[in-house]
Amino acid sequence: MLNLALGAMEYGTRIDEQTSFRLLDEYVDAGGEWIDTANCYAFWQDPSGHGGQSEELLGRWLAQRPGVRDRVKLATKVGCEPLWPGSWPEHSEGLGAQAIDAALETSLRRLGVDHIDLYWAHRDDRTAPLEETVAAFGKHAAAGTIGRLGLSNWALWRVERMRDLANQLGVMAPSALQLRYSYLQPRPFVRDHIHDHRFGWITDEVLDYAENNPEQQLFAYSPLMSGGFENRTDRPIDPAFDHPGTTRRLEALTDLAESLGTTRSAVVLAWLAGGTPAVTPIVGISTPDYLTTALTGTRLTLTPDQRRQLDEVW
């Protein structure tokens, strides 16, 4: 299977149903397995101010393709749905037991399935007792409605505290982490300015943690920086990455991509998927060309020398 997840965040809102279905079909036919969404996608693009459109579209796609459910793994999230239109991020559903119960029931109904393969806590909720959150996820895992539990945008010390509590309670512990990551690195202490999540970035500490805890699978969102690697004038690289290291890394990336006859984006995906520890990139695929890039990158194997060419640039 491809070490790639299809990000369906904008399916059902910005990306229309016909295009979404085509991309999903082509992804699965190419050997793709993971499809990643969230119960809050995409509240900022829908007039209602609430999410659910992506899950609903995926449910319609699955219903019209008997047997395809057995070929894919579904990942969705709980925790960030606004309580009312415009209330994000100050007021969202959070991770209390009632919120988790209601969100999971709704996601299962929208998707038309009896279980979620990987259920993400979308962000930490420090207003909810962690014991309550752990017990709620554990209850659904024991019932078979959650196959695995993952944490997105959590500080590592909270990840470990949750794992310890899960072990004490004898319930499922998290086995996946989802954070933002790419070949370029932002300047220190500006990470909360490039995304809504303070701890939403894979750092050296996270990589070391995953390498020494192999049961923890790493997923990376926004690996292609919204098209920033392809010199798109409408998608400039965020100012948080404006430093000499970015210039040097882009030069190395360009040299390697040209020598391989491929794109910089494809090389970035190969670098992520084939590294140690391996990172599963989540790519928001909106056009057939993006899908081709994603497939090319995850099928590309970099030699040790080529990886050094990229890694030794600081």
Side-chain angles (χ1 to χ4, degrees):
M1 288 292 180
L2 299 170
N3 188 17
L4 172 71
L6 184 151
M9 180 171 69
E10 297 182 308
Y11 290 8
T13 48
R14 188 179 71 85
I15 304 172
D16 64 63
E17 185 155 315
Q18 181 179 0
T19 302
S20 300
F21 278 24
R22 175 187 173 186
L23 293 169
L24 287 161
D25 289 341
E26 292 181 1
Y27 169 74
V28 173
D29 287 344
E33 185 178 36
W34 281 108
I35 300 173
D36 184 83
T37 187
N39 70 328
C40 67
Y41 291 163
F43 69 81
W44 57 93
Q45 292 182 346
D46 192 81
S48 70
H50 287 290
Q53 299 79 23
S54 175
E55 289 184 334
E56 290 171 347
L57 181 141
L58 289 172
R60 294 191 294 271
W61 175 72
L62 288 167
Q64 294 179 31
R65 284 150 178 77
V68 78
R69 176 66 179 98
D70 297 331
R71 299 170 57 192
V72 299
K73 292 182 178 179
L74 296 175
T76 192
K77 309 179 188 72
V78 57
C80 288
E81 170 69 2
L83 290 181
W84 60 85
S87 68
W88 166 265
E90 291 82 6
H91 303 284
S92 56
E93 63 191 340
L95 296 175
Q98 290 185 342
I100 292 171
D101 292 349
L104 179 58
E105 180 181 0
T106 301
S107 291
L108 291 171
R109 174 180 51 80
R110 288 171 177 162
L111 292 165
V113 299
D114 60 6
H115 73 281
I116 305 297
D117 297 290
L118 176 54
Y119 201 40
W120 296 102
H122 206 161
R123 64 170 178 170
D124 196 357
D125 175 14
R126 299 189 185 180
T127 67
L130 195 53
E131 295 86 349
E132 178 181 331
T133 300
V134 171
F137 283 128
K139 175 184 67 176
H140 293 296
T145 49
I146 298 175
R148 291 171 60 194
L149 174 63
L151 304 179
S152 181
N153 307 303
W154 284 53
L156 273 183
W157 72 271
R158 292 281 288 177
V159 174
E160 274 299 284
R161 185 161 294 182
M162 187 171 187
R163 289 180 66 193
D164 184 57
L165 281 170
N167 290 331
Q168 290 180 37
L169 294 174
V171 299
M172 179 182 286
S175 61
L177 302 175
Q178 181 180 148
L179 304 108
R180 184 173 177 174
Y181 193 46
S182 189
Y183 178 60
L184 300 183
Q185 301 291 307
R187 298 191 309 276
F189 299 106
V190 298
R191 289 169 182 159
D192 57 327
H193 299 297
I194 60 174
H195 202 271
D196 294 322
H197 304 290
R198 179 182 177 189
F199 297 105
W201 193 268
I202 291 179
T203 62
D204 281 346
E205 184 178 15
V206 174
L207 293 172
D208 180 68
Y209 178 80
E211 191 169 358
N212 288 280
N213 294 275
E215 73 279 3
Q216 295 289 338
Q217 184 178 2
L218 285 183
F219 288 78
Y221 63 82
S222 300
L224 300 182
M225 303 178 67
S226 302
F229 286 110
E230 300 311 320
N231 293 320
R232 290 178 52 175
T233 56
D234 62 328
R235 299 289 180 90
I237 293 174
D238 192 279
F241 296 85
D242 185 11
H243 57 83
T246 291
T247 303
R248 292 192 289 268
R249 285 208 147 195
L250 286 175
E251 290 173 352
L253 189 60
T254 300
D255 290 344
L256 183 54
E258 290 178 351
S259 71
L260 293 173
T262 190
T263 64
R264 296 197 298 194
S265 293
V267 173
V268 169
L269 294 179
W271 177 79
L272 285 167
T276 303
V279 179
T280 299
I282 303 172
V283 182
I285 296 170
S286 58
T287 69
D289 286 344
Y290 288 166
L291 178 58
T292 298
T293 295
L295 295 174
T296 298
T298 51
R299 288 168 173 162
L300 175 64
T301 300
L302 301 179
T303 67
D305 284 344
Q306 289 166 342
R307 296 196 70 84
R308 280 193 292 271
Q309 182 179 336
L310 297 175
D311 291 338
E312 292 179 359
V313 179
W314 300 100

